[in-house]
Amino acid sequence: MAPVTDKRLAELTDKLEHGIQELYAGGRYAEYLAAMSKFHHYSFGNALLILLQCPAASQVAGYGTWKKLGRHVKQYESGIKILAPCPYRKRVEQERKDPTTGQVLYGPDGKPLRETCYVSATYFKVATVFDISQTEGRELPRIGVSELAGEVADFSAIYARLAELSPLPVEQDRVPGSAKGYTSFTEGRIVLRPGMSQAQTIKTLVHEIAHAILHDPSQASGGEPRQRREKEVEAESVAYVVCQHFGLDTADYSFGYVAGWSRGRELAELKASLDRIHSAAGKIINAIQPPEKQMVQEYDPQEQTRRHSRKHTERHKK
């Protein structure tokens, strides 16, 4: 199957490009991260498309996934358009190479030998998902946070899962100055200030784990070294995404310096940073998330295609 040119696909991609630029220019970074916290299983691009089309969306899934969860899409609801990857294999002809040396092989006539093989490729098509507000049926499981008391439901289990995920051992010990925690690759540990509330402890731990995942100097690739401000922006953003996902109110975070840091950067740089934030946040959320709730963000494109076929048939029967 060859890639398909679709006018709607082009429009959606263009909307995505402009949306990322407006995200920073309009000071909507916090709003985007809130959306990312709800849709961590989707790419950062699809999370933004969901935000642009349905700002109030909280939990999104395909028609088939909602059905598995005991809910169904309400009549006359209009879905949210995203970009669904469609992998396929294509046949190509190329020069034959020696598997050991990698050198091109030649025939008796002095011309390169040719061979036919199949390679994997991906194209994207427009797909439809629905927010939970567009569905009705069985209630979904939740992880709750008591914001007033500063307590986190199932705190011990969540703390243990985060500590297990952390690339560095987690300890509670004296922290210099007013900081609530720190990550030290030299000491080989993450340190949290003891005596903090459950909510503050979880938020700080997520922030420090984000540093450990994203900013390990031994894993750094080539290019200019990352600035401390950039690292703090990414770690704070990951903490915001994860905490928002589980209902912990972190609205008092300051995002002003984020806008200042990002202004004037190229679109590719913004995308790269968002991708790092999205990847780390998704990894941490998945370490905490109960399996039955993870189903909510899954998308079933085959079921979506079958649903459209059924609707088309039903129209002709009427």
Side-chain angles (χ1 to χ4, degrees):
M1 183 185 297
V4 177
T5 300
D6 190 310
K7 183 179 179 181
R8 292 181 302 150
L9 176 60
E11 291 173 350
L12 207 56
T13 304
D14 185 61
K15 190 174 186 178
L16 173 60
E17 297 289 317
H18 288 291
I20 293 176
Q21 292 172 320
E22 293 171 1
L23 175 70
Y24 290 89
R28 299 180 66 199
Y29 190 75
E31 187 181 355
Y32 171 76
L33 290 179
M36 187 187 291
S37 75
K38 304 167 189 172
F39 317 124
H40 69 285
H41 281 291
Y42 291 103
S43 68
F44 76 86
N46 276 334
L48 180 57
L49 286 171
I50 293 168
L51 169 64
L52 293 173
Q53 296 171 75
C54 187
S58 60
Q59 292 175 307
V60 169
Y63 181 87
T65 300
W66 283 125
K67 187 176 180 180
K68 292 177 184 177
L69 291 167
R71 299 183 68 86
H72 62 272
V73 177
K74 300 174 185 176
Q75 192 174 16
Y76 306 120
E77 286 291 346
S78 198
I80 302 166
K81 304 301 181 184
I82 63 170
L83 302 179
C86 300
Y88 68 99
R89 289 169 61 81
K90 65 179 180 179
R91 182 178 176 179
V92 297
E93 187 176 320
Q94 60 186 20
E95 295 178 342
R96 185 183 299 176
K97 295 183 179 180
D98 187 294
T100 304
T101 65
Q103 298 295 317
V104 176
L105 299 176
Y106 294 86
D109 58 358
K111 295 182 179 180
L113 296 175
R114 308 287 295 180
E115 64 179 357
T116 300
C117 63
Y118 290 87
V119 298
S120 298
T122 302
Y123 74 95
F124 291 83
K125 69 176 182 180
V126 177
T128 305
V129 292
F130 300 88
D131 180 56
I132 188 172
S133 64
Q134 299 174 294
T135 70
E136 55 191 6
R138 183 168 63 87
E139 289 297 316
L140 299 179
R142 297 175 178 272
I143 289 182
V145 177
S146 175
E147 298 176 6
L148 296 176
E151 296 180 352
V152 178
D154 204 19
F155 169 78
S156 297
I158 292 175
Y159 186 96
R161 290 175 197 143
L162 288 171
E164 183 178 1
L165 170 70
S166 175
L168 298 173
V170 178
E171 303 175 9
Q172 296 205 10
D173 200 352
R174 185 177 64 84
V175 177
S178 60
K180 294 178 174 59
Y182 68 87
T183 300
S184 174
F185 294 102
T186 304
E187 298 176 19
R189 64 175 184 162
I190 287 175
V191 180
L192 303 179
R193 181 184 296 278
M196 297 187 294
S197 69
Q198 292 182 357
Q200 184 62 61
T201 298
I202 293 299
K203 179 267 166 187
T204 303
L205 180 53
V206 173
H207 177 107
E208 300 305 333
I209 289 176
H211 275 308
I213 292 174
L214 293 172
H215 306 138
D216 184 349
S218 67
Q219 304 296 321
S221 56
E224 296 183 4
R226 311 272 290 287
Q227 298 298 315
R228 184 174 184 275
R229 193 175 191 180
E230 182 178 353
K231 294 177 181 179
E232 286 301 316
V233 165
E234 291 183 348
E236 284 285 332
S237 298
V238 170
Y240 183 86
V241 168
V242 175
C243 290
Q244 284 286 319
H245 180 82
F246 293 110
L248 178 58
D249 184 9
T250 55
D252 58 342
Y253 283 8
S254 172
F255 286 90
Y257 71 98
V258 175
W261 163 78
S262 63
R263 188 174 293 114
R265 287 178 173 262
E266 295 298 324
L267 182 61
E269 292 181 275
L270 301 182
K271 283 184 176 179
S273 185
L274 290 173
D275 195 35
R276 287 190 293 269
I277 293 166
H278 178 274
S279 177
K283 186 175 183 179
I284 296 172
I285 289 172
N286 285 333
I288 302 173
Q289 188 93 320
E292 61 270 23
K293 184 161 183 193
Q294 288 187 22
M295 290 179 65
V296 174
Q297 282 83 11
E298 293 175 0
Y299 171 67
D300 184 353
Q302 292 184 348
E303 179 61 29
Q304 185 65 30
T305 300
R306 288 193 292 269
R307 175 175 176 263
H308 284 305
S309 297
R310 289 194 298 270
K311 287 180 68 176
H312 181 75
T313 302
E314 289 170 359
R315 287 197 195 101
H316 284 278
K317 286 181 178 179
K318 291 180 180 180

